[in-house]
Amino acid sequence: MPLIELQSHSTHSDGQLAPRDVVAEAAKAGVTTLALSDHDSVAGVPGAEAAGREHGVEIVPAVEMSCVHEYAEDLHICGYWVDLAKIEPACERAQDERRARAAEIVENLRGFGFDLTLDDAIREAGGADSIGRPHIAKAAGATGDLGPFFEEYLVPGAKAFVPRRWPDAAQAIALIREAGGVAVIAHPYWDISAPGEVDDLIRSLRADGVETFYPTHTEEQTRHLLDLCAELDLVPTASSDFHGPTHKTFAKFGAYDTYGLGEPQVPQRP
């Protein structure tokens, strides 16, 4: 049986391994089709493609665009088969937005007495392109469980929070399609808990597919997403969202469950 994994992350975003090592881990796990889908970056795709040829793993060129929606402050849309050169300007703008947002958060925290700089957070991230709120929290001195720090300072409505401003979900889908790609709504039940909102999100965005099989999706949630895919003629995809071998949540390939309800598909190249 083929093992399809249409999300994984490298050191070009918030993953632990270089692209070639992500592919090597996938090959060891028996993955036959893999997408390296770094957040707002396609810099690692050429390396993944080279490693894929070496290990006999089909690589789908991909990106995971971070965006905003009324139901989720941080919604993700995956783009598959994207032209790397065409999507790169959108990635560059998203990275600029990411750095500017991080700088605002850092300044807000400094206003609450924290002794940190943007450079401190960048060092935690290993690079400015992958900086996120967990890196800022660690740079501010948070250790262990970051949940309490996030609740007080870094979630919507908290003291130092700064919202994402661009792109919104519809813009992200348009950017992916303009780059020749296929747009798939990533792990909807990870970002949104209410079934009615998930239903409305998928119906209203008119993407090309939905990440249906996912480690945190329950059988009921998976069935709901499969039913929507069948009704709306969307591609049901799957991933374990691999971030690295010691990641607390997404540490291995083959971690999603189909519950015997169906099989994941790979979107066709446009």
Side-chain angles (χ1 to χ4, degrees):
M1 287 288 291
L3 178 54
I4 296 169
E5 289 281 359
L6 291 188
Q7 262 208 79
S8 63
H9 298 271
S10 77
T11 48
H12 286 283
S13 62
D14 58 349
Q16 298 174 339
L17 304 178
R20 64 181 180 278
D21 296 323
V22 174
V23 177
E25 286 294 312
K28 284 196 295 185
V31 175
T32 52
T33 303
L34 175 73
L36 184 74
S37 56
D38 278 313
H39 296 283
D40 306 314
S41 175
V42 291
V45 173
E49 290 176 329
R53 290 189 291 271
E54 178 184 345
H55 291 282
V57 178
E58 179 189 15
I59 303 297
V60 178
V63 64
E64 186 175 15
M65 298 292 294
S66 302
C67 57
V68 293
H69 188 273
E70 63 177 307
Y71 295 146
E73 182 273 332
D74 191 17
L75 188 75
H76 294 160
I77 306 290
C78 287
Y80 300 111
W81 305 113
V82 288
D83 182 296
L84 303 188
K86 290 181 178 178
I87 200 68
E88 184 61 34
C91 291
E92 289 178 357
R93 177 173 174 182
Q95 295 293 354
D96 288 343
E97 295 268 342
R98 181 188 299 273
R99 288 187 287 270
R101 182 188 184 207
E104 287 188 60
I105 294 172
V106 166
E107 285 306 307
N108 288 348
L109 288 171
R110 287 175 61 85
F112 288 103
F114 288 95
D115 182 18
L116 78 158
T117 66
L118 180 60
D119 285 343
D120 294 331
I122 290 172
R123 278 193 293 273
E124 285 286 346
D129 289 349
S130 58
I131 190 170
R133 284 174 289 172
H135 309 118
I136 296 170
K138 291 176 183 177
T143 58
D145 181 7
L146 301 180
F149 189 90
F150 264 66
E151 288 297 320
E152 185 170 0
Y153 293 103
L154 298 181
V155 297
K159 295 175 181 177
F161 179 76
V162 175
R164 190 184 303 279
R165 300 183 179 98
W166 183 91
D168 65 29
Q171 288 171 323
I173 290 172
L175 289 165
I176 288 166
R177 288 174 173 163
E178 287 166 8
V182 176
V184 173
I185 300 169
H187 44 60
Y189 273 108
W190 173 263
D191 297 315
I192 303 167
S193 59
E197 291 183 353
V198 169
D199 196 281
D200 183 58
L201 173 86
I202 293 169
R203 292 179 185 278
S204 62
L205 284 184
R206 301 179 182 273
D208 305 299
V210 178
E211 190 174 45
T212 299
F213 305 102
Y214 190 72
T216 64
H217 285 176
T218 66
E219 181 173 353
E220 182 179 4
Q221 291 167 345
T222 302
R223 181 180 287 107
H224 178 210
L225 297 176
L226 271 177
D227 288 346
L228 283 170
C229 286
E231 177 187 347
L232 303 174
D233 194 26
L234 304 175
V235 179
T237 68
S239 88
S240 302
D241 208 352
F242 179 81
H243 279 66
T246 63
H247 192 275
K248 65 178 181 179
T249 308
F250 304 114
K252 64 178 183 178
F253 290 106
Y256 62 83
D257 196 336
T258 66
Y259 301 103
L261 298 174
E263 294 298 328
Q265 300 175 25
V266 178
Q268 291 187 350
R269 188 192 297 265

